[in-house]
Amino acid sequence: MATDNNKTVIIGAGAAGLMAANVLASQGREVILLEKKHQPGLKLRITGKGRCNITNTAQREEYFKHISNAKFFAPAFDNFSNEDLIRFFENRHLPLSSERGGRIYPQSNKALDVFLTLLEPLESNPLVDIRKECVAEHLVVRNGKIEGVDTNLGRIVCKNVIIATGGCTYPSTGSEGDGYDLAEEVGHTIVEPLPALVGLRTRDGYPRQLQNFEVKNCEILLTGKEHKILWRMFGDIYLDEYGVSGPVILTLSRDIAEQLDRGERFFITIDYKPKVSKEKLLEEIKQVFSQRRTEEVYSVLRKWFAKPMVEDVVKVCRLNGRTMAKNLTDKEFNSLLWYMKERKMEIIGDMGWKEAIITKGGISLKEIDPNTLQSKKVKGLSFCGEVIDLDADTGGYNLQIAFSTAVLAAQNI
Ligand SMILES: Cc1cc2nc3c(=O)[nH]c(=O)nc-3n(C[C@H](O)[C@H](O)[C@H](O)COP(=O)(O)OP(=O)(O)OC[C@H]3O[C@@H](n4cnc5c(N)ncnc54)[C@H](O)[C@@H]3O)c2cc1C
């Protein structure tokens, strides 16, 4: 049995755990950082499609609009804001750049550089002991106080533990929901974890050849019961055989995750030509078909659709692709118009944990002090990162949650 009484054990070396370890080490505190995988930061290294969207330049009030519980998050953000985070990396010689929508990336466009900026000072610091392939299995709690952590490599005796185990998404990176079990075992309540920022499965998918096919500048309409319009947004989407994804859909998925899980019905309507009215588009369709009357329908459709989509248009609108354009009936023109402007599909679920960007739900906020991120149930226990019931839109907000909560939790040990 190792006795590391004065050391703080951080469970999970992801974005939050690495940042918490940096803060503690910079205060001269000893840290044991446990990572269940063979390498720390596996998820951090794939963020932002390998480029890592670290944070967002949005002002405080705007920032909070993108976070699930701004009131809870405010003390962590005020203590270590997006500006502080930018300074943190720049002071460590990681130049950053700002892109569309205020998204901040490393200038190198490499998530690996963000990861290394956090890891390297820890590796060279004698106060920090990084234990890889070390899985925290249980917390040792006596009389309401932390006394240690049981791991696959034995018990570590300590007075302070920070749970930074992340959520359940991309489980191959090590985030498999362990933190929920660890916290639940010692009396914490878990708000049901759900995949969020995730593609949505539709009853009618798209043909296989459309795997991740991008369609730019669509209008997406979400309707619920009795055709009530719940949401309308412009943006780019990706189609595949299971349904739809892309930035707009990810944002939408976060808003409806709970209701979808409860079995509520939702429909999505895609307007591929939002800038043209239905009347004008119908006129245009008829005109083009009349001008190209001796061409095959397949070929005429290429005017509006990329090749891989034409097959789907023909199938869904029940057209004969090989017939001459002049043979199309008014009913078929209307069918085409419907496909372009208001094809409606039922959402039947999401793409699941393997593809979700974040977890909605987690350790209940009611049982965590927002000013310290310490457990209200167990002395010596704190939380940071995605394991907490906090989540946000895409745009760098989720990593900011991880970093801000990590700093606050570590400073309050
Ligand atoms: C593909 C993808 C792209 C993303 N891109 C962005 C982006 O560009 N910008 C953004 O803001 N957000 C992004 N996110 C979200 C962001 O990555 C997460 O919000 C963030 O990583 C959460 O940090 P965390 O430290 O709380 O958890 P994680 O990064 O998930 O780290 C948790 C760590 O704990 C370890 N662990 C788990 N259980 C145990 C245990 N029992 N014992 C020991 N170790 C354990 C895990 O192995 C893991 O290393 C993305 C997510 C994904 C999946």
Side-chain angles (χ1 to χ4, degrees):
M1 182 165 68
T3 48
D4 294 298
N5 221 351
N6 291 321
K7 299 183 179 176
T8 298
V9 174
I10 302 173
I11 308 175
L18 289 165
M19 177 60 97
N22 270 280
V23 172
L24 283 164
S26 71
Q27 294 169 342
R29 311 286 297 267
E30 288 185 278
V31 179
I32 302 176
L33 180 57
L34 310 184
E35 173 50 52
K36 73 192 283 190
K37 301 300 277 188
H38 61 293
Q39 289 285 344
L42 288 184
K43 185 177 282 178
L44 181 59
R45 293 190 235 178
I46 57 162
T47 51
K49 297 196 172 135
R51 296 178 60 221
C52 188
N53 178 194
I54 297 170
T55 185
N56 198 288
T57 55
Q59 298 289 302
R60 188 177 185 273
E61 293 316 310
E62 177 59 27
Y63 216 99
F64 287 170
K65 288 184 194 157
H66 296 272
I67 312 270
S68 59
N69 192 321
K71 196 167 165 223
F72 182 92
F73 183 57
F77 184 80
D78 292 341
N79 178 58
F80 190 76
S81 68
N82 47 353
E83 287 171 13
D84 296 322
L85 183 60
I86 290 168
R87 249 190 313 276
F88 173 91
F89 282 112
E90 287 183 340
N91 288 344
R92 282 158 185 78
H93 313 292
L94 185 74
L96 306 175
S97 59
S98 171
E99 293 191 8
R100 185 170 56 102
R103 291 165 187 248
I104 298 287
Y105 292 88
Q107 268 179 25
S108 65
N109 283 322
K110 287 186 188 144
L112 186 67
D113 291 344
V114 177
F115 164 68
L116 291 176
T117 304
L118 289 165
L119 180 73
E120 281 173 355
L122 301 178
E123 284 185 325
S124 57
N125 191 327
L127 295 172
V128 182
D129 172 6
I130 303 177
R131 299 188 189 173
K132 296 173 193 165
E133 295 184 325
C134 183
V135 187
E137 293 172 340
H138 304 283
L139 300 177
V140 185
V141 175
R142 192 170 306 159
N143 299 326
K145 282 190 201 158
I146 282 284
E147 290 204 343
V149 181
D150 277 337
T151 76
N152 59 329
L153 304 178
R155 178 168 292 187
I156 305 169
V157 176
C158 63
K159 290 184 190 147
N160 291 294
V161 169
I162 302 179
I163 296 187
T165 47
C168 302
T169 67
Y170 275 63
S172 56
T173 63
S175 320
E176 296 175 294
D178 295 12
Y180 308 139
D181 297 338
L182 293 170
E184 200 167 30
E185 261 183 15
V186 298
H188 274 274
T189 310
I190 310 302
V191 176
E192 190 191 355
L194 295 170
L197 297 185
V198 63
L200 294 171
R201 284 187 296 122
T202 52
R203 193 166 293 291
D204 317 294
Y206 288 85
R208 215 170 247 189
Q209 62 267 30
L210 283 175
Q211 194 67 28
N212 268 334
F213 184 80
E214 187 179 19
V215 188
K216 289 199 165 285
N217 304 319
C218 303
E219 187 189 55
I220 309 296
L221 203 69
L222 180 79
T223 44
K225 268 187 239 160
E226 290 150 15
H227 313 290
K228 191 172 167 207
I229 296 176
L230 304 171
W231 208 80
R232 186 191 289 272
M233 207 169 182
F234 289 91
D236 307 337
I237 58 170
Y238 293 93
L239 313 176
D240 77 16
E241 59 179 307
Y242 304 108
V244 282
S245 61
V248 184
I249 303 292
L250 298 192
T251 306
L252 160 66
S253 75
R254 187 175 154 249
D255 288 347
I256 62 169
E258 282 158 27
Q259 295 97 312
L260 207 54
D261 190 58
R262 282 202 299 268
E264 276 184 38
R265 291 183 77 190
F266 292 103
F267 295 85
I268 188 168
T269 305
I270 304 171
D271 182 349
Y272 291 109
K273 308 284 170 202
K275 288 188 186 141
V276 194
S277 71
K278 271 166 73 177
E279 294 69 27
K280 276 247 155 62
L281 190 58
L282 184 60
E283 219 175 274
E284 180 188 315
I285 293 170
K286 286 186 172 173
Q287 197 181 28
V288 172
F289 270 85
S290 131
Q291 282 163 355
R292 297 168 64 174
R293 54 204 326 277
T294 54
E295 284 180 47
E296 276 188 354
V297 167
Y298 273 130
S299 138
V300 180
L301 288 174
R302 290 293 313 281
K303 158 129 183 83
W304 299 282
F305 297 101
K307 201 170 176 193
M309 268 193 89
V310 168
E311 199 59 58
D312 190 54
V313 180
V314 166
K315 187 174 141 228
V316 174
C317 298
R318 296 192 182 152
L319 308 178
N320 177 354
R322 294 269 169 246
T323 195
M324 271 196 246
K326 66 178 179 186
N327 295 332
L328 242 60
T329 63
D330 274 348
K331 195 173 160 204
E332 287 168 326
F333 285 135
N334 280 319
S335 188
L336 265 177
L337 181 69
W338 164 84
Y339 188 104
M340 290 189 207
K341 292 289 291 177
E342 48 190 14
R343 182 180 178 199
K344 196 172 182 177
M345 289 176 286
E346 184 173 358
I347 297 171
I348 53 167
D350 56 58
M351 307 275 190
W353 293 115
K354 278 193 189 158
E355 293 193 25
I357 302 289
I358 53 149
T359 305
K360 197 173 175 61
I363 309 215
S364 170
L365 303 181
K366 291 184 191 145
E367 297 161 1
I368 305 175
D369 179 345
N371 296 306
T372 60
L373 298 177
Q374 286 166 358
S375 160
K376 291 181 185 172
K377 302 220 156 212
V378 179
K379 197 156 182 271
L381 180 62
S382 312
F383 304 96
C384 61
E386 201 175 316
V387 73
I388 302 175
D389 178 19
L390 270 183
D391 58 88
D393 287 334
T394 56
Y397 302 102
N398 284 292
L399 278 173
Q400 180 75 45
I401 291 180
F403 292 133
S404 292
T405 55
V407 173
L408 188 61
Q411 284 176 346
N412 280 284
I413 293 294

